[in-house]
Amino acid sequence: GRFAKLWDIERGAVFQTLGGHADSVRTATFSPDGLLVVTASMDKTAKLWTTTGQSKATLRGHLDGVYCAEFSPSGVLLATASQDNSAKLWNLWTSRGRCLHTYRGHADWVWTVRFSPAEEHII
């Protein structure tokens, strides 16, 4: 669907629905501090949300669907992976929604992205 649902584990019930994407959501993940959620969508965007459902930012710049979005261990950076054969690095603190770098050179879609523990590298 075009949304992600946050579930209360103990109650087994939805406590928040994160909507607003124009196409299907491929993945969602919590920030390291648990205060934010990022959703990645086939609408070529990633969106940042509070766990109360407030939209904080829409990250635009990919030319095709976004398959994966991953917070850095510190929560300062976010990386996205896309069907446009690229990965992007975003700074969430100093300029929410600003792309710092686009990593090109993949021969095919980029399905996932992960940070090294010290945030020196992404794969």
Side-chain angles (χ1 to χ4, degrees), residues 3 20 22 65 81 92-94 104 120:
F3 52 86
L92 302 180
W93 277 16
T94 60
R104 300 191 194 285
E120 308 170 299

Side-chain angles (χ1 to χ4, degrees), residues 56-69:
K56 299 298 283 181
T58 299
L59 308 177
R60 301 180 196 284
H62 281 292
L63 303 176
D64 216 327
V66 180
Y67 280 117
C68 180

